[in-house]
């Protein structure tokens, strides 16, 4: 995938921001650095990308799932609604990106307070061409196909949170293999390997069947052959 544009509104410490990855200095830079003072909103940029795509972030995903009182709201620390900027009534993250399938997508995450000042559940939509999906399961499925990675794989390879830089390196071999295949588009070689393994098992089965047919055959010693040849000649 390739990031095209990110719009942030009232998320954590960021009131309003827009980043166009296809224009200005970013369009010509193969590598760039996000820098700033503590609390300036560096991690919020990364959080907003994750929110738009997966409705979670690495730091929230590791938080407690037990409900607690956050101001007037009784929610878990893992709830993404916690990222609504203090004092704001609504927040959103809008990410435009080019999917691994060559299609341009727009992923939207938003949360707001109702007339009773209660937080509503976060909502996600994903649009491409004339298509729009809003159902959570459908959004997750299409997003994973468009990005080519699920959230855990995205965190291990693309969105490495603080203190998790070795998570990918410590992953099991089969996990790293699956991720690298998706990143490099080499899944076809695993499919070829599976087909070869199937053929190997079929041939082994044929071999064992033929071998069982010959197990009852006993080869004569040379002395026994000579004795039978003698008997044949006499007869």
């Amino acid at each position: 995938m390739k990031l095209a544009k990110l719009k942030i509104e009232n998320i954590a410490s960021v009131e309003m921001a827009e980043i166009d990855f296809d224009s200005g200095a970013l369009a010509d830079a193969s590598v760039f650095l996000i820098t700033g003072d503590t609390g300036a909103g560096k991690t919020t940029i990364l959080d907003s990308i994750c929110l738009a795509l997966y409705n979670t972030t690495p730091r929230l995903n590791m938080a407690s799932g037990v409900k607690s009182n956050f101001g007037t709201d009784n929610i878990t620390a893992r709830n993404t609604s916690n990222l609504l900027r203090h004092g704001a009534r609504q927040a959103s993250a809008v990410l435009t990106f080019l999917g691994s399938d060559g299609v341009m997508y727009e992923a939207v995450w938003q949360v707001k307070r109702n007339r009773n000042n209660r937080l509503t559940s976060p909502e996600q939509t994903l649009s491409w061409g004339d298509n729009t999906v809003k159902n959570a399961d459908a959004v997750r499925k299409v997003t994973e196909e468009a990005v080519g990675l699920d959230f855990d794989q995205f965190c291990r390879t693309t969105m490495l949170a603080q203190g998790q830089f070795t998570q990918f390196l410590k992953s099991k071999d089969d996990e790293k293999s699956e991720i690298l295949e998706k990143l490099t588009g080499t899944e076809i070689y695993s499919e070829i390997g599976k087909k070869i393994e199937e053929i190997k098992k079929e041939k082994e089965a044929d071999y064992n069947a033929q071998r069982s047919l010959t197990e009852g055959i006993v080869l004569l010693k040379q002395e026994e052959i000579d004795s039978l040849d003698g008997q044949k000649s006499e007869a």
Side-chain angles (χ1 to χ4, degrees), residues 103-216:
V103 176
M104 191 66 74
Y105 293 86
E106 183 180 80
V108 180
W109 174 92
Q110 56 187 346
V111 67
K112 59 184 178 182
R113 291 188 178 278
N114 60 23
R115 64 181 63 184
N116 297 320
N117 204 37
R118 294 289 184 181
L119 279 172
T120 60
S121 297
E123 297 179 356
Q124 273 186 292
T125 59
L126 185 67
S127 304
W128 68 101
D130 297 327
N131 305 294
T132 299
V133 290
K134 297 182 179 181
N135 176 272
D137 291 336
V139 170
R140 182 176 63 253
K141 183 177 184 297
V142 177
T143 298
E144 290 179 358
E145 291 175 351
V147 177
L149 300 167
D150 60 27
F151 176 71
D152 289 336
Q153 294 169 336
F154 190 73
C155 290
R156 285 199 293 266
T157 60
T158 307
M159 198 65 62
L160 293 174
Q162 294 179 1
Q164 292 183 310
F165 294 107
T166 61
Q167 187 172 4
F168 173 72
L169 296 178
K170 292 182 178 180
S171 299
K172 296 179 181 178
D173 289 344
D174 56 344
E175 293 176 341
K176 284 191 286 189
S177 176
E178 181 182 0
I179 293 171
L180 290 173
E181 283 178 357
K182 288 185 176 182
L183 289 174
T184 58
T186 54
E187 300 98 325
I188 183 63
Y189 297 111
S190 286
E191 296 301 319
I192 292 174
K194 291 177 182 177
K195 189 63 178 178
I196 291 174
E197 182 64 22
E198 290 175 4
I199 295 173
K200 173 177 174 287
K201 289 181 178 179
E202 290 176 1
K203 296 302 181 183
E204 284 182 341
D206 291 341
Y207 167 75
N208 290 330
Q210 294 297 325
R211 185 174 182 180
S212 65
L213 293 176
T214 62
E215 286 181 348

Side-chain angles (χ1 to χ4, degrees), residues 11 50-52 54-57 60 75-76 78-84 90-93 108-113 118-125 134-137 139:
I11 295 179
C50 288
L51 287 174
Y54 300 105
N55 187 30
T56 187
T57 73
L60 289 182
I75 55 179
T76 69
R78 182 178 301 178
N79 192 315
T80 53
S81 299
N82 285 313
L83 292 175
L84 173 66
Q90 65 87 32
S92 64
V108 180
W109 174 92
Q110 56 187 346
V111 67
K112 59 184 178 182
R113 291 188 178 278
R118 294 289 184 181
L119 279 172
T120 60
S121 297
E123 297 179 356
Q124 273 186 292
T125 59
K134 297 182 179 181
N135 176 272
D137 291 336
V139 170

Side-chain angles (χ1 to χ4, degrees), residues 67-81:
K67 284 189 175 183
S68 302
N69 289 321
F70 291 87
T72 59
D73 304 300
N74 184 248
I75 55 179
T76 69
R78 182 178 301 178
N79 192 315
T80 53
S81 299

Side-chain angles (χ1 to χ4, degrees), residues 4-23:
K5 184 178 291 186
L6 175 65
K7 297 179 181 178
I8 305 172
E9 182 180 359
N10 292 326
I11 295 179
S13 60
V14 177
E15 181 178 3
M16 191 74 69
E18 181 173 324
I19 303 172
D20 190 342
F21 296 93
D22 288 333
S23 66

